[in-house]
Amino acid sequence: MSADAPENLRKTGLCLSGWGLFAQKPAEDIDDCQDAIAGDAATQAFAIADGSSASFLPRQWAQILVAKFVEYSADWEAWNRTSRKAWAEYITELSGRTDLRITTKNNIKTREKGAATIVAVRRKSPAADIKELCVEVIACGDACALLFRRERFQRSFPLKSPKEFTSFPRVLFSEDEEFSPKLNIEEWKLVAGDVIVLATDALAKWALTAIDEDLPRVREMLSLQTLDAFAGFIHRQRCSAPLLEIDDVALAVLNVTAEDKAHFEVMKPVVLPIEAKPTAKEAAIEARSPKPVIQGDTRPADSRRAPAISIS
């Protein structure tokens, strides 16, 4: 057995195993990335979140949400309670600093909220059929889970089409009393070889568009396992139709595999190429394609350089 594989998987034979990759917008610093990923092969819980740029400290709230989900995936009330507690403790710590700008001080005084979308997967109780793995997919907003079987797309959740993405997705707030009423839940029954992809909104929308057009680039996405490969892939999709919108991106690839393969690793984001020149074909496509509209960043200045969060 792998050191990462939980004891209870010995009875079922199948588990989720994989990796997470994410990257910031071009020309931004790594610490500006508002997406977060967490996963644990031992608890068989995995999540990605996308902090809303219009909210207060979106990166920190996204990090709290995924970390606490992985820790308390079997108890949503505890996930809700401990997430809000971790947020309150972070704000208390932040308010003690003497170098805060007046905007951040005011946001703390007026109890401004963090906001984020999330999609997560948790393994349910062991099934009687050792050839099948039952999981719950939990989502709020437009971060999506996509299921592939034998490299063929099967379904997505909670959104089914690129047309369903909007500028105002449902979010979980740092001050929410209860998460449950906002959550969409679906049960999936998986077999060995299935692949679940968790993706934040820009990447999920791009993937569903590419699937509609039957592009092989989606299969390439499933094979990405290194930061360099992911950075190059993201850059190319921002230069080629269908265009990947300019946004932070997070990707988690979860394979249904044998129990001794249970493992999950999150790679840190990297600086994407800014001056990299597209190929002649990419340049021609880019010239003909409409340019994505990039909204201004409305975050308080201090939220971009707030201290790293420690979650306990």
Side-chain angles (χ1 to χ4, degrees):
M1 288 284 293
S2 163
D4 293 324
E7 180 70 22
N8 66 346
L9 291 183
R10 296 178 186 273
K11 300 178 181 179
T12 62
L14 295 177
C15 66
L16 294 172
S17 183
W19 57 88
L21 298 159
F22 59 123
Q24 72 283 10
K25 305 177 190 72
E28 287 200 354
D29 196 70
I30 288 175
D31 290 337
D32 290 326
C33 185
Q34 298 168 10
D35 291 356
I37 307 174
D40 189 348
T43 63
Q44 286 287 281
F46 312 87
I48 66 171
D50 181 1
S52 171
S53 61
S55 69
F56 186 46
L57 303 175
R59 174 170 60 96
Q60 288 80 358
W61 177 233
Q63 291 172 342
I64 288 172
L65 269 182
V66 296
K68 293 304 180 183
F69 176 84
V70 168
E71 189 175 357
Y72 295 101
S73 63
D75 185 345
W76 289 355
E77 192 280 328
W79 171 38
N80 194 165
R81 184 184 67 254
T82 58
S83 295
R84 287 188 287 117
K85 181 175 182 289
W87 171 264
E89 290 173 348
Y90 179 72
I91 294 301
T92 299
E93 177 186 348
L94 190 64
S95 63
R97 291 177 54 184
T98 59
D99 59 343
L100 295 180
R101 294 183 180 181
I102 188 66
T103 52
T104 302
K105 290 181 180 179
N106 289 339
N107 285 329
I108 292 175
K109 288 180 180 178
T110 57
R111 295 176 63 88
E112 294 299 314
K113 302 175 183 180
T117 64
I118 187 171
V119 63
V121 176
R122 76 178 186 96
R123 188 182 183 284
K124 296 193 70 176
S125 300
D129 186 355
I130 63 172
K131 297 181 180 180
E132 186 176 85
L133 180 67
C134 186
V135 301
E136 271 189 338
V137 186
I138 301 101
C140 177
D142 53 11
C144 294
L146 292 79
L147 175 62
F148 295 85
R149 179 165 293 169
R150 299 185 184 91
E151 296 189 344
R152 292 184 177 274
F153 174 70
Q154 301 294 308
R155 67 176 77 170
S156 63
F157 179 79
L159 305 185
K160 312 297 183 185
S161 162
K163 297 179 181 179
E164 296 181 41
F165 289 81
T166 70
S167 299
F168 303 100
R170 179 179 291 186
V171 295
L172 295 180
F173 288 107
S174 56
E175 301 287 333
D176 276 345
E177 290 299 320
E178 290 188 44
F179 291 165
S180 297
K182 291 186 174 182
L183 298 175
N184 295 306
I185 306 165
E186 191 166 275
E187 185 176 295
W188 288 359
K189 293 183 178 180
L190 312 173
V191 298
D194 284 357
V195 180
I196 295 177
V197 169
L198 305 182
T200 47
D201 58 341
L203 190 58
K205 181 179 180 181
W206 172 88
L208 290 173
T209 302
I211 287 168
D212 285 346
E213 298 180 12
D214 196 26
L215 297 180
R217 281 177 283 170
V218 176
R219 290 192 292 273
E220 180 185 353
M221 182 180 70
L222 302 182
S223 67
L224 300 172
Q225 297 189 43
T226 68
L227 295 175
D228 288 344
F230 188 59
F233 178 85
I234 293 300
H235 177 66
R236 290 193 301 276
Q237 308 325 308
R238 287 172 175 162
C239 298
S240 306
L243 290 178
L244 172 64
E245 295 175 5
I246 303 298
D247 198 359
D248 299 325
V249 290
L251 169 73
V253 178
L254 304 171
N255 296 285
V256 179
T257 187
E259 58 180 347
D260 60 348
K261 301 289 182 64
H263 177 75
F264 189 77
E265 182 178 3
V266 179
M267 309 296 183
K268 293 182 178 180
V270 295
V271 177
L272 296 180
I274 300 171
E275 300 298 335
K277 295 182 179 180
T279 65
K281 182 178 180 181
E282 290 173 340
I285 294 175
E286 185 174 14
R288 296 194 302 269
S289 304
K291 299 298 185 291
V293 177
I294 306 173
Q295 301 295 332
D297 193 342
T298 59
R299 288 177 292 160
D302 292 283
S303 75
R304 306 176 193 179
R305 289 294 182 271
I309 190 166
S310 178
I311 302 171
S312 59

